[in-house]
Amino acid sequence: MSLSRLREQFRQALADPDLAAPYERATATARAKRAAAAAELPDYEEQRQKAADARREAIDHLDALVERFREAFTRDGGTVHHAADAEEARSLVKRILSERGARTVVKAKSMLSEEIALNEDLIASGWEVHETDLGEFIVQIAGQRPSHITAPALHLDRVDIGRIFHEKLGVDYTEDPVELATIARRLLRERFLQADAGISGANFLVARTGQIVLLENEANIRMCTTLPPLHIAVVGVEKVIAEVDDLGPLLSVIARSATGQKLGAYTSILGAAGPPERHVVLVDNGRRQLAQHPRKREILTCIRCGACLNACPVYERIGGHAYESAYSGPIGALLGPHHLGTDHGRELPFASSLCGACSEVCPVKIDIPELLRLERERYVETGGADVGERLAWWLWSKVMTRPRLYRLLARVGRGILQGPGIIAEGSSVLRDWTDGRKLPIPSSTSFIDQWKHQGGATTRTNPIWDRTRAQRALEATRKAKRSWAASRGRAGRGKDRKP
Amino acid sequence: MNPVERFVAEMQPLLQGGDGAHGAIHRCATAEEAGRDILALAEELSMKRLVVAARRELDAVAAILTEEGSKQGLRIDRDRMPATKGTGLDDTFRDAADYAAFDAGVGGADVLVAESATIGLVAGAHEARALSLLPPVHIVVAPVSRMVERIHDALARLIPSPPGEHDPGIENAGEGSPTITFITGPSRTADIEKILVLPAHGPSHLYVWLVDRL
């Protein structure tokens, strides 16, 4: 196993001269708007902390809150279903639709439905499914996949969209965004009024009251949850929150982080009043297992605002599709390994420079770089690193624990780097590195030699150079890793991992 | 800036689309004033049919619209409250889809949020959810007394905690957990090159009258 597949994806993305432009434009605007919206709220940091706390509380008490939600939602006349994985979720949705004789479905944007490939399955099984969010609608008729958590058609410009509408809908070509939106509105309005069922996701589920919270700007979610006689919300089990009180802070940070709005145009909190039939399909798909991990459970607190995508220098350059995952960007790199279960998903945590821009903007304070590092660790532990990489680190540890060998090799290395054409700008053989950064030519004498020369004290017990101490430290690290791996094994995790 | 001024100030930019104004916000003293303003608006926009929500506080506005509207060829439909307290299901009088036939829906607000210029609505027989969704114009006539500072306050007011402990004072909201819609400006999208387009699927225009005595 190697990073070859992912590298190939990224290489292709970087080689495409037109790919980055729409991303760069959109993310730069989004970053500025988010920063302004956060700065505008005097107690933003306090709200952010409360939002983060509310999400952590929820994941800590996941099972209890899910049960509480089920009770409340049932009390209000709805039905809750539990799906262990994507397949069960899809068959539950199909069963509910079949039993009610529903043939046409209007769909609100939902990342979870992307994760479980709900549309593909419904359409293959004979249902008529219409995405109704403008971005999702464009992506659906184009036969493509979303490129951003909150802006699915980010990768397309108005000319692309004009052509897609002309080809797929048979309308006259136009690249005017207002006209394009009007075409979609007219077409979808008919579908809203005729649909047998509406399917949505959810931003939050309130455990105490059994309410479903949905956020949007377009009103297509309101249509999907108001007009058809049947509403099915397909929701990741982690979306539950304990209390209505938690919504204040969460609503204060989510739109600000996503679009720089104080609130989106529509915040729907669906209770007992609504379509005659209401179902919630709660999807696990690896989430409860992740909730058991003392550190990685934090991934589940994500509220899918997309701020980390907008902040990420890697996402901006390679775009959303290169991740080949329902979720892209930094959060996608964390979710990928847990929800895709493919080698490619396991490689996603390497799609980051660990610069930390994502965690700076995360409204629920997820420590994304640290979690990415943990995922990388797991990748290596489960045999992800290739022979070359393991050999390199083995050699490194041998050299670093042998001062004489280290000094000898350092002298050789300095000699090589001082050689003609090695570091010189432009003509350097290390061009890939020196084109973007300064690499100073190393001094011909080592620090240790200079120190001695200037009469500084040297001691054999300097911890850095003390081989026994270094070995003890290495041994302690290995022991900690073994005990961590053992504790994972006891909790029943790690079984599905390839050696 | 007091909360009402804040609400007005926050609302202004929300009503601006790339192609001009998508509504307006006014403050007035009485329901009569609001009613006459709505008549003028209906004439200006050549509206033919309006629907007025069943909530009792809109009785005066509905009366003026009905009396004066006929003179300018305007037909007013009024939703009615059911004789008995509902089950919480809204749209009991007409099919939700029927609201698509109106040029504008005239409704109220169960709470107003100054911080974000947000209108909070509790679904029920007093105001169907489709009234603020399907007609191209959404008109809100609401008492300034319902103004709160933040979304936190609005949630606390509309969702009793624990249920049944206090009555939020919503007429005929029905049993069970309330269904709430918070509206912050007209329907919008920026899915094409991040360019703001009003509307997307919902109302294109939002007109708000904040009334001192309703």
Side-chain angles (χ1 to χ4, degrees), chain A residues 203-465:
Chain A
N203 291 92
F204 307 106
L205 302 173
V206 185
R208 175 173 66 78
T209 57
Q211 289 164 313
I212 303 168
V213 183
L214 286 155
L215 314 175
E216 59 167 331
N217 273 307
E218 297 190 0
N220 62 309
I221 299 182
R222 291 184 69 195
M223 298 275 183
C224 290
T225 58
T226 304
L227 298 174
L230 166 63
H231 172 219
I232 307 172
V234 189
V235 189
V237 75
E238 86 283 13
K239 294 283 184 181
V240 71
I241 55 172
E243 262 299 338
V244 174
D245 295 347
D246 297 332
L247 281 176
L250 284 164
L251 294 177
S252 299
V253 297
I254 190 167
R256 285 182 162 88
S257 300
T259 56
Q261 292 170 286
K262 288 171 183 127
L263 276 180
Y266 303 109
T267 301
S268 298
I269 303 178
L270 305 177
E277 250 199 271
R278 299 178 301 119
H279 296 259
V280 171
V281 177
L282 288 171
V283 184
D284 187 321
N285 211 24
R287 287 163 169 80
R288 281 195 178 86
Q289 182 180 309
L290 193 53
Q292 298 299 315
H293 194 284
R295 200 69 184 79
K296 294 183 189 174
R297 65 198 311 175
E298 197 176 318
I299 299 171
L300 294 172
T301 65
C302 172
I303 55 175
R304 307 281 191 271
C305 69
C308 62
L309 279 67
N310 298 332
C312 181
V314 176
Y315 172 85
E316 186 179 82
R317 289 301 307 280
I318 62 174
H321 292 138
Y323 293 79
E324 276 205 346
S325 160
Y327 307 96
S328 52
I331 193 66
L334 284 176
L335 290 166
H338 294 284
H339 294 315
L340 294 187
T342 63
D343 290 344
H344 180 61
R346 297 174 67 233
E347 292 167 355
L348 278 174
F350 293 87
S352 167
S353 61
L354 301 185
C355 72
C358 47
S359 53
E360 262 176 43
V361 297
C362 177
V364 289
K365 297 191 162 186
I366 301 177
D367 190 349
I368 297 172
E370 172 60 10
L371 292 166
L372 284 169
R373 201 192 56 71
L374 283 177
E375 294 295 346
R376 292 179 181 189
E377 214 171 81
R378 185 180 84 160
Y379 180 81
V380 171
E381 278 170 358
T382 53
D386 62 19
V387 177
E389 190 178 338
R390 274 181 284 153
L391 181 68
W393 285 110
W394 179 80
L395 278 171
W396 181 85
S397 71
K398 292 293 166 209
V399 172
M400 292 309 278
T401 50
R402 287 169 177 78
R404 281 199 199 89
L405 181 60
Y406 173 84
R407 281 190 233 183
L408 176 70
L409 291 176
R411 188 171 304 150
V412 173
R414 282 197 302 275
I416 292 171
L417 289 174
Q418 284 166 340
I422 301 290
I423 293 185
E425 250 171 80
S427 64
S428 168
V429 296
L430 298 173
R431 193 175 298 122
D432 284 348
W433 179 271
T434 58
D435 273 1
R437 289 151 279 226
K438 276 253 184 282
L439 183 62
I441 296 173
S443 156
S444 53
T445 51
S446 73
F447 174 78
I448 295 276
D449 289 342
Q450 288 180 39
W451 182 256
K452 273 187 193 159
H453 186 71
Q454 288 171 24
T458 56
T459 163
R460 286 285 305 157
T461 56
N462 183 326
I464 299 167
W465 300 104

Side-chain angles (χ1 to χ4, degrees), chain B residues 8-34:
Chain B
V8 174
E10 293 290 340
M11 178 69 82
Q12 302 290 358
L14 296 174
L15 301 173
Q16 287 304 313
D19 54 352
H22 280 253
I25 176 156
H26 306 279
R27 196 164 171 191
C28 61
T30 63
E32 284 70 32
E33 275 180 61

Side-chain angles (χ1 to χ4, degrees), chain A residues 60-314:
Chain A
D60 283 348
H61 304 104
L62 195 55
D63 287 334
L65 291 178
V66 165
E67 178 53 22
R68 208 168 175 207
F69 174 82
R70 192 193 61 76
E71 281 168 18
F73 190 73
T74 309
R75 194 166 55 231
D76 279 349
T79 311
V80 173
H81 310 259
H82 295 274
D85 54 25
E87 201 194 327
E88 192 176 0
R90 293 192 299 262
S91 36
L92 275 167
V93 171
K94 287 190 284 188
R95 205 186 72 206
I96 298 165
L97 292 172
S98 297
E99 281 172 6
R100 278 82 196 165
R103 298 312 305 165
T104 60
V105 175
V106 281
K107 228 187 120 278
K109 197 175 102 57
S110 145
M111 290 312 297
L112 182 86
S113 76
E114 296 287 336
E115 176 188 321
I116 66 172
L118 181 62
N119 282 11
E120 289 88 334
D121 191 28
L122 287 178
I123 291 166
S125 311
W127 270 278
E128 203 183 300
V129 182
H130 303 291
E131 284 290 349
T132 60
D133 170 85
L134 180 59
E136 287 283 348
F137 173 76
I138 294 165
V139 168
Q140 188 190 30
I141 62 170
Q144 299 179 354
R145 298 194 67 92
S147 53
H148 190 285
I149 289 179
T150 57
L154 186 66
H155 59 292
L156 300 169
D157 64 20
R158 67 181 93 182
V159 176
D160 298 329
I161 296 166
R163 284 193 190 129
I164 291 165
F165 274 37
H166 175 63
E167 277 170 31
K168 307 286 180 180
L169 304 175
V171 295
D172 290 340
Y173 174 83
T174 173
E175 55 183 58
D176 176 10
V178 177
E179 282 180 36
L180 290 167
T182 305
I183 292 165
R185 178 173 66 243
R186 290 208 180 113
L187 185 76
L188 289 170
R189 180 59 75 99
E190 289 307 307
R191 291 176 179 166
F192 286 128
L193 294 170
Q194 288 157 8
D196 301 321
I199 297 181
S200 73
N203 291 92
F204 307 106
L205 302 173
V206 185
R208 175 173 66 78
T209 57
Q211 289 164 313
I212 303 168
V213 183
L214 286 155
L215 314 175
E216 59 167 331
N217 273 307
E218 297 190 0
N220 62 309
I221 299 182
R222 291 184 69 195
M223 298 275 183
C224 290
T225 58
T226 304
L227 298 174
L230 166 63
H231 172 219
I232 307 172
V234 189
V235 189
V237 75
E238 86 283 13
K239 294 283 184 181
V240 71
I241 55 172
E243 262 299 338
V244 174
D245 295 347
D246 297 332
L247 281 176
L250 284 164
L251 294 177
S252 299
V253 297
I254 190 167
R256 285 182 162 88
S257 300
T259 56
Q261 292 170 286
K262 288 171 183 127
L263 276 180
Y266 303 109
T267 301
S268 298
I269 303 178
L270 305 177
E277 250 199 271
R278 299 178 301 119
H279 296 259
V280 171
V281 177
L282 288 171
V283 184
D284 187 321
N285 211 24
R287 287 163 169 80
R288 281 195 178 86
Q289 182 180 309
L290 193 53
Q292 298 299 315
H293 194 284
R295 200 69 184 79
K296 294 183 189 174
R297 65 198 311 175
E298 197 176 318
I299 299 171
L300 294 172
T301 65
C302 172
I303 55 175
R304 307 281 191 271
C305 69
C308 62
L309 279 67
N310 298 332
C312 181
V314 176

Side-chain angles (χ1 to χ4, degrees), chain B residues 118-141:
Chain B
T118 297
I119 295 146
L121 299 171
V122 178
H126 64 293
E127 183 167 337
R129 288 196 293 161
L131 179 137
S132 58
L133 179 63
L134 290 175
V137 176
H138 179 203
I139 296 170
V140 177
V141 182

